[in-house]
Amino acid sequence: MLVIGVLAACTLSPPPRPFTTEPPPDPAAAARGAYLAAAANCIGCHWDKEHGGAPFAGGKAIETPFGAYYSRNITPDATHGIGNWSEQDFRGALRNGIAPGGGHYFPAFPFPAFTGMTDGDISDTRAFLRTQPPSPTPNRPHDVSFPYDMRLTMIFWRALYFDEGPLRPDPKRSAEWNRGAYLVRAVAHCGECHTPRTALGGRDDSRAFNGGTLYGPGEKHAPNITPDQKDGIGGWTASDIASVLKTGITPKGDVLSAPMSEVIEGTAKLTDADRQAIAIYLKSLPPLPGKGG
């Protein structure tokens, strides 16, 4: 989930509703959720591995032009994580970008993409996270200045850049294309990195998948993944794309580096059919010249 964060931050919210009677997650649901979490590379953002953090315990800096937003603890810890969240609480976070107490999340957390997920997939993702070891890691305050630390600003930002899901299939397209669109646009949220941003930090969807800037030390560029022959991946076949998502090696033999290498760790766990569906969808995009950013 290495995404370019944006506006943001802080009305005080009451604590989430506690619950103590929920049965353990269904193993089949948790297994489906593990698959989705891999596709979404949740651990890529929610693990401060460099500083010895616990998996899914958050604390990793998501660098943006406005400062650093720190990922949240999403382990089942009842105090610092999401152990006291209900199914409704979790769905509200992913579908609406709203915390259990009613506060707005910042789009450093890519809820504008996750809103496209189905209720079933959101539920399965939660089931998987409930099986993880709880970590008592406190959430780290964001390191951003006014007004980007104000959650109330998200009301205006959402009016410009947020469309509530779920993503609806296109009846004119094949099941394979729709599966690919769902994985690319919702679960794997590829556009969060590979689409240019406006001055307010929203995705410029008129240039979707044209490439974007990744901030932080050693600033990098998320490349153009449209089928443009010169600047994009128009010279790649669908099989090439599927292979890259499995191996992290391009048709020219280049090995993809971080942060894409972390994404590949997740997409390598997908089925061949899902990687092919992603490739089919990307090949169908309108080719856009240039490198975005």
Side-chain angles (χ1 to χ4, degrees), residues 106 125 197 213 237:
F106 309 126
T125 302
R197 297 274 171 173
T213 300
T237 66

Side-chain angles (χ1 to χ4, degrees), residues 14 36 62 69 79 111 119 133 152 243 281:
L36 293 161
I62 310 301
Y69 294 90
T79 301
F111 69 87
D119 284 351
L152 288 177
S243 177
Y281 175 73

Side-chain angles (χ1 to χ4, degrees), residues 2 41 220 247-248 255-267:
L2 289 168
N41 188 33
K220 297 182 179 181
T247 67
V255 178
L256 297 179
S257 61
M260 190 62 195
S261 59
E262 297 176 350
V263 175
I264 298 297
E265 291 179 17
T267 56

Side-chain angles (χ1 to χ4, degrees), residues 94 168 200-201 265:
L94 271 69
R168 302 297 181 187
L200 294 178
E265 291 179 17

